[in-house]
Amino acid sequence: MTQFPQTIHFTGTNTPIGVEWSARNLDVIGTIPEEIDGAFFRAVPDPAMAPMFEDEVALSADGMVAKFDIRGGTVDYAIKYVETERYLLEKEARTALFGRYRNPYTDDPSVAGKDRTVANTTPVWHGGRLLMTKEDGLGYEVDPETLETIGRFDYYGALKSETFTAHPRIDPETGEMFFFGYEAGGLASLDVAYGIADKDGNLISEQWFKQPYCSTIHDFTITEKYAVFPIFPTTADLNRLKAGGAHWAHQQDLESWVGIMPRYGKVEDMRWFKGPKGVSAFHFLNAYDDGDLVHLDVCLSDTCAFGFMREAGGVERAQQSIQGGMTRWTFDMSKPGEDFESRVIGPPGDMPRIPDASQGRMYRKGWYLTINPEGGPPVPGGPVGVSFNMLVQIEPGNGRIEAMPLEPGMAINEPVHVPSSDPDKDGWLLMVVDRQTGENSFDSELWVVEADAVAKGPIARVPMPLPMRAQVHGWWVSREQLDKAKARKAQGLAA
């Protein structure tokens, strides 16, 4: 194809832009607190080439890494493509060479065996290193100052898994990163690799286990004692892939599962709990221990949120008919059996965020995105085809919920949390908000919102001079972390 298809995957906030650019001293409306000092990194999928097939999806778009650099109340911005092997091959050829979403059997023969990942899902900061990740391959290291791509990262050959999750979890006290890769042993395999890296970014453990069926394990959680692996019935089949079909097909009649193991233990100690049929979740707000209990807070829906995955499994459901809610699953590790308790604790939604300091601990407050039915028709675009238009604040301990609804014709991207040094304050949330100005045109702004007063709306706004494309996930890195990594890099060069 020479032009982008006019489908939801290439229109609305998914309209391709494909421009690398930077700007200094963007206009700021309001005042950004001095304590917000660091970088907000964003993963922005944006296809550099028109796809080979008209039915391609937004999740296949090339990854761009974007950076809001904030200091002294000022904001600079830059965005660059992640130069994956796939991106560079297609850039040289000036045409698409890779076929359907996560199906190498549909690729041009010239790229057989090449790295297919587009590194477009989450910027991950750990051990002074910035990785751009997507769960179908290894992460690509990016220079946090220049955004130049350094290269694929496999812990200097120590990591044996072929894949690396876009949702690792970092313990706030030890600084260790807990992560996994599914299809670790190859396409449609049952292999899952569970890894731990120390606070300095050295791989210290990698263990493999089998999942009940080959599912898309997009996210997982940790507690102080456990690693928790939820499994949902959106499955891969090698024969379907060889026939040129979809990688993922949702199976509404198949049970879900949750595997729980000691986070420093052996995979042989994994204990499996059987969940309801057909449900789906891509993200988890948090998990924590409560004596013998493990609580897991799930962005749960009654079927898969991605239309192309539902349709591949024969599930015909309109997007607006999907039901769900923020749901707490509670597992009693002192009792035998496969059962667990479930209760709804908040309205439906996704893209959850908690303070980093609350990771794996009992927490007071969290935030996530939802669709406000009174906010007018949702803006088209984003990974599932419709955009969120309201920010929700939830306090699981007392059931209190607060919200920041947007005006009709507006969309909100996943926020990041910036902590405050004041123990009486919850810090701030940073997020990009889009306002539709035409069928496929939008004005975008960076918003700064007080995390303990979301209903007030933004205390500062940064209008963007050029169009923005929908983000997947983001990551906040403090100035102290950036400076420490820069100093370490300089010492290494000097040596």
Side-chain angles (χ1 to χ4, degrees), residues 78-358:
I79 184 168
K80 283 183 179 291
Y81 274 108
V82 183
E83 295 187 338
T84 62
E85 184 175 24
R86 171 174 174 157
Y87 170 79
L88 292 174
L89 287 166
E90 293 189 335
K91 180 180 179 180
E92 176 68 21
R94 296 178 181 268
T95 189
L97 300 171
F98 295 82
R100 289 192 166 91
Y101 174 64
R102 295 181 66 170
N103 188 340
Y105 296 101
T106 63
D107 293 348
D108 186 279
S110 66
V111 295
K114 302 297 185 181
D115 186 10
R116 299 186 91 255
T117 191
V118 286
N120 69 3
T121 308
T122 308
V124 172
W125 179 270
H126 185 249
R129 180 179 288 113
L130 179 65
L131 300 178
M132 284 292 288
T133 63
K134 183 179 178 67
E135 62 206 55
D136 63 351
L138 297 178
Y140 273 74
E141 186 176 359
V142 171
D143 187 306
E145 288 190 81
T146 66
L147 303 187
E148 297 291 341
T149 302
I150 296 170
R152 192 164 43 210
F153 186 69
D154 61 0
Y155 290 91
Y156 308 104
L159 185 67
K160 303 309 177 188
S161 173
E162 296 182 15
T163 59
F164 182 95
T165 179
H167 286 288
R169 300 281 177 162
I170 297 175
D171 187 278
E173 294 185 6
T174 68
E176 296 165 310
M177 182 167 71
F178 299 81
F179 64 92
F180 68 96
Y182 69 89
E183 292 182 286
L187 197 64
S189 73
L190 298 179
D191 301 310
V192 181
Y194 168 51
I196 305 173
D198 67 19
K199 63 180 179 61
D200 297 317
N202 303 303
L203 184 68
I204 58 175
S205 175
E206 181 182 5
Q207 302 181 67
W208 288 39
F209 66 91
K210 302 284 188 182
Q211 59 170 316
Y213 45 77
C214 184
S215 74
T216 170
I217 313 177
H218 184 67
D219 194 3
F220 89 135
T221 60
I222 58 167
T223 71
E224 292 181 84
K225 295 191 293 187
Y226 297 103
V228 184
F229 297 89
I231 311 291
F232 298 102
T234 302
T235 64
D237 179 81
L238 189 58
N239 290 329
R240 183 172 68 236
L241 288 166
K242 289 180 177 179
H247 191 119
W248 299 119
H250 191 68
Q251 295 184 246
Q252 198 66 35
D253 295 330
L254 195 61
E255 289 93 353
S256 55
W257 292 89
V258 179
I260 303 179
M261 62 171 282
R263 77 179 200 179
Y264 296 115
K266 300 295 184 183
V267 293
E268 290 79 12
D269 299 325
M270 184 81 71
R271 182 175 169 187
W272 290 99
F273 295 83
K274 184 184 292 186
K277 293 182 178 180
V279 298
S280 180
F282 285 90
H283 303 108
F284 311 104
L285 185 59
N286 198 15
Y288 65 92
D289 303 310
D290 180 9
D292 291 327
L293 304 180
V294 173
H295 299 296
L296 172 66
D297 293 343
V298 186
C299 299
L300 192 68
S301 56
D302 63 357
T303 190
C304 182
F306 288 95
F308 72 95
M309 297 181 186
R310 294 195 305 273
E311 292 160 10
V315 181
E316 300 295 333
R317 289 277 301 276
Q319 201 73 24
Q320 64 268 26
S321 74
I322 297 175
Q323 302 296 308
M326 183 61 70
T327 303
R328 173 160 292 182
W329 282 357
T330 298
F331 308 86
D332 190 337
M333 303 303 291
S334 70
K335 294 181 180 179
E338 300 177 335
D339 298 332
F340 58 89
E341 295 182 0
S342 176
R343 66 183 180 92
V344 175
I345 62 172
D350 209 339
M351 301 299 190
R353 180 69 61 181
I354 59 169
D356 290 343
S358 299

Side-chain angles (χ1 to χ4, degrees), residues 11-19 21 23 26 40-46 64-68 75-79 379-382 411 413 431-437 440-447 462-471:
T11 56
T13 61
N14 290 331
T15 301
I17 298 171
V19 177
W21 62 280
L26 295 172
F40 172 16
F41 293 101
R42 304 172 72 229
V44 182
D46 197 348
M64 299 189 82
V65 53
K67 175 186 179 183
F68 286 100
V75 181
D76 299 340
Y77 179 79
I79 184 168
V379 171
N413 292 256
M431 66 206 75
V432 170
V433 171
D434 305 304
R435 184 188 297 274
Q436 191 164 15
T437 57
N440 291 314
S441 59
F442 298 85
D443 287 339
S444 302
E445 296 181 337
L446 172 67
W447 280 15
V462 181
M464 300 303 292
L466 292 177
M468 307 276 279
R469 190 174 150 101
Q471 159 198 327

